[in-house]
Amino acid sequence: MDNHVSLLGTVTREPTFYEGDTPRLKLTIKIHREYFTRNTGEAKSRDSYFDIVCFNSLARACQAVHYGDSILVLGKLNQRTITADDGNKVSVMEVSADHIGISLQNLVNEGVS
């Protein structure tokens, strides 16, 4: 069974780069969705947040990604268990990125023509 995820969203804070034996970069994106309710036709919106992690040369290249950038992420959905600050084990979902692309919309927003 294949596990492929593609997400288009906005970076919610400056990504964090970790140097070491295996360089990695962590970031979070927000996907904003607007929709209308079925019964009343009322306009509503919902935001979803996704943690993204990338490794090695992709992590180094993604240092060019910044808060507010619109990016496309292609990767795999992973679940892992971590120990929280209070000592409890919690399940964490994140996307392990294979490819990240910066949207050309970023250039439009910066006034580049």
Side-chain angles (χ1 to χ4, degrees):
M1 182 161 91
D2 287 339
N3 175 7
H4 297 280
V5 176
S6 57
L7 302 168
L8 177 63
T10 305
V11 179
T12 61
R13 62 180 172 258
E14 280 300 313
T16 305
F17 179 77
Y18 302 92
E19 188 67 67
D21 292 339
T22 304
R24 69 180 181 191
L25 184 127
K26 295 181 95 175
L27 59 95
T28 301
I29 64 171
K30 174 180 80 169
I31 297 175
H32 181 75
R33 184 171 68 106
E34 295 182 359
Y35 62 96
F36 295 95
T37 59
R38 183 178 296 177
N39 296 336
T40 64
E42 178 184 2
K44 296 210 173 207
S45 66
R46 174 179 297 164
D47 292 335
S48 299
Y49 295 86
F50 296 88
D51 292 327
I52 313 295
V53 63
C54 51
F55 300 95
N56 300 315
S57 59
L58 182 58
R60 291 188 193 286
C62 285
Q63 289 179 303
V65 173
H66 297 287
Y67 167 80
D69 285 348
S70 179
I71 64 171
L72 174 65
V73 179
L74 304 175
K76 296 172 186 65
L77 187 60
N78 293 322
Q79 181 178 13
R80 59 189 180 91
T81 303
I82 63 169
T83 303
D85 293 337
D86 61 5
N88 290 325
K89 294 195 182 273
V90 293
S91 179
V92 176
M93 299 294 288
E94 65 187 8
V95 175
S96 178
D98 295 322
H99 303 279
I100 292 182
I102 299 175
S103 172
L104 294 177
Q105 186 64 40
N106 297 327
L107 297 175
V108 173
N109 294 339
E110 294 173 5
V112 176
S113 53

